[in-house]
Amino acid sequence: AAAGGANGDAELSAAPVEAGSSKVKVAAVSAEEEDNMPKEKLVLFGITCPDNRAAQFAILTVGSLVCSIGFSALQEGVTRVPGFKFSGWMTLITTLSYAVCALIEMVATKGKLEKKGSWGNYVLLSTLTFGGMYATNYALKFLNYATRIVAKSSKVIPVMLFSTIINGKKYNWREWGAVGLLVAGIILFTLGDVASMPSFSPIGIVLITAALCIDAITSNFEEKVFFRVKNPSSHSEVLLFASLFGSIWSFASVYLTGELAPAIAHSMANPQVVPSIMVFSVLGYASVSFILGMIKFFGATEAEIVKSCRKVLSIVISFILFPKALNWKYIAGFVTVVGSIAWTFQLKQEKIKAKEAAKAAEAA
């Protein structure tokens, strides 16, 4: 898997702008950031997208949300199959499907198999993504699922922290405030779906915290090593080679834990399992492709904002499919998230205006 586990409708400025900076300084820094963005066109599944940045952001955001919701719905259907308890088997089929989809897309768009990233970086990337996934799944032995969602909702915070450390980015207080508001809204919304207080375990907390840090490092590692370079890799390349190595780690995991044989027997007794996993894996691949495009053309923090909003929409869809009684946490969480989205859209507009001012100054 790739893109942080291969796992905010507005763009937060990734420009290194200090709080209280003048408009001239903001414009200059924003222009510098624009120079660091990839100059190539955004191509998704062989289709060239418009050059307009707002249109690109909308396509990547909506595409990721729609595919992710479909992925979650179908995945839940598989987990509801009687006797299914093979998360490692599901991970193995998913990573193999990702690799096949990436290979098909690369050949269709590039006409050949290409590799710009180094083998060492791909081994490291796949190890990081597998480590984050394994720690998250293993934490479920000590934490309930609601606690896991709440913890993962705060992932954008360590992503911003590590983007500051790894990529040298800086954020002003409004950007931190918008992200903090988003996290608070997601936590409130998620807690509304909890019937009882989640039970904590020190081991589970350590594991989920480790998973959050690994995922944050992974997102920023992808951005710095594969996308913010003179000769950037395509998202299909990153998914192909990271998924190939991830499949090796997944197979080793299910084999060494003894999960492989009973998982195969269960799938033979329930022939709908493997095809269902493959179908939602295609949707998952599309979702990851959108997220990798977001990382490449906008940044890791923006990608995490979108991924956090997917959690809220997943709960909304669950509300529609499985009606529940409303409570104040759902309402407060929804209002808070909407406020965060409006705030981040405002920041996006200010950033666009700053870039336009910088270009106008250069032209003068």
Side-chain angles (χ1 to χ4, degrees):
N7 319 90
D9 303 74
E11 175 190 5
L12 286 177
S13 170
V17 182
E18 299 286 359
S21 298
S22 66
K23 291 184 178 180
V24 175
K25 182 178 178 182
V26 171
V29 175
S30 296
E32 179 181 353
E33 184 194 50
E34 181 77 9
D35 292 337
N36 292 329
M37 288 296 174
K39 302 302 181 182
E40 64 185 85
K41 292 183 177 294
L42 174 61
V43 180
L44 294 170
F45 318 114
I47 301 175
T48 301
C49 299
D51 291 331
N52 183 276
R53 295 275 291 169
Q56 291 177 345
F57 189 85
I59 291 171
L60 292 170
T61 299
V62 174
S64 172
L65 294 177
V66 171
C67 291
S68 178
I69 291 172
F71 172 91
S72 299
L74 290 175
Q75 187 179 54
E76 183 176 357
V78 172
T79 61
R80 289 177 178 269
V81 175
F84 186 86
K85 54 182 180 180
F86 310 105
S87 58
W89 174 244
M90 181 185 291
T91 301
L92 175 60
I93 298 175
T94 300
T95 52
L96 285 172
S97 299
Y98 280 4
V100 172
C101 289
L103 178 60
I104 293 174
E105 182 182 6
M106 180 182 290
V107 173
T109 57
K110 304 289 185 179
K112 61 179 180 179
L113 184 66
E114 67 175 12
K115 185 183 73 68
K116 297 179 181 178
S118 69
W119 289 116
N121 283 335
Y122 279 122
V123 171
L124 180 55
L125 174 62
S126 63
T127 303
L128 286 171
T129 54
F130 176 77
M133 185 186 307
Y134 187 86
T136 299
N137 293 335
Y138 196 72
L140 291 176
K141 293 186 177 181
F142 307 98
L143 300 173
N144 63 36
Y145 198 77
T147 306
R148 172 184 175 271
I149 294 179
V150 171
K152 296 288 280 186
S153 297
S154 62
K155 179 181 172 182
V156 67
I157 298 297
V159 165
M160 290 179 70
L161 290 173
F162 281 108
S163 68
T164 300
I165 297 172
I166 297 176
N167 294 329
K169 294 181 180 178
K170 295 181 181 179
Y171 303 89
N172 59 43
W173 68 270
R174 293 188 301 167
E175 293 169 317
W176 285 108
V179 171
L181 193 63
L182 174 65
V183 171
I186 293 174
I187 291 175
L188 280 170
F189 205 98
T190 305
L191 287 176
D193 207 27
V194 180
S196 60
M197 291 296 293
S199 57
F200 290 93
S201 168
I203 298 177
I205 293 174
V206 170
L207 287 170
I208 203 68
T209 301
L212 286 171
C213 292
I214 293 173
D215 289 347
I217 293 173
T218 301
S219 295
N220 285 285
F221 178 75
E222 287 175 336
E223 180 179 354
K224 182 177 182 179
V225 174
F226 297 105
F227 299 142
R228 294 291 185 265
V229 292
K230 292 183 178 180
N231 191 23
S233 303
S234 64
H235 66 267
S236 57
E237 175 193 330
V238 174
L239 276 170
L240 172 60
F241 293 106
S243 296
L244 282 176
F245 284 111
S247 299
I248 297 175
W249 313 147
S250 297
F251 179 80
S253 174
V254 296
Y255 180 79
L256 294 175
T257 58
E259 181 182 325
L260 184 60
I264 293 176
H266 180 273
S267 293
M268 292 180 66
N270 299 272
Q272 77 274 25
V273 169
V274 172
S276 296
I277 295 177
M278 294 176 67
V279 170
F280 76 64
S281 295
V282 173
L283 288 176
Y285 172 83
S287 179
V288 172
S289 295
F290 285 121
I291 288 296
L292 280 178
M294 183 71 73
I295 294 174
K296 183 174 183 177
F297 284 83
F298 292 92
T301 300
E302 287 80 355
E304 290 307 322
I305 291 290
V306 173
K307 288 161 71 177
S308 293
C309 282
R310 293 190 315 196
K311 295 181 175 68
V312 172
L313 287 179
S314 295
I315 297 176
V316 170
I317 295 299
S318 176
F319 229 103
I320 295 174
L321 297 178
F322 309 98
K324 306 176 183 67
L326 282 173
N327 58 52
W328 72 268
K329 293 176 182 177
Y330 285 121
I331 298 173
F334 181 77
V335 172
T336 304
V337 169
V338 170
S340 172
I341 292 173
W343 195 359
T344 50
F345 265 122
Q346 181 184 0
L347 293 176
K348 181 183 188 310
Q349 292 302 315
E350 291 179 1
K351 179 182 177 182
I352 292 175
K353 291 180 180 179
K355 290 178 180 178
E356 292 175 349
K359 290 180 179 180
E362 290 179 359

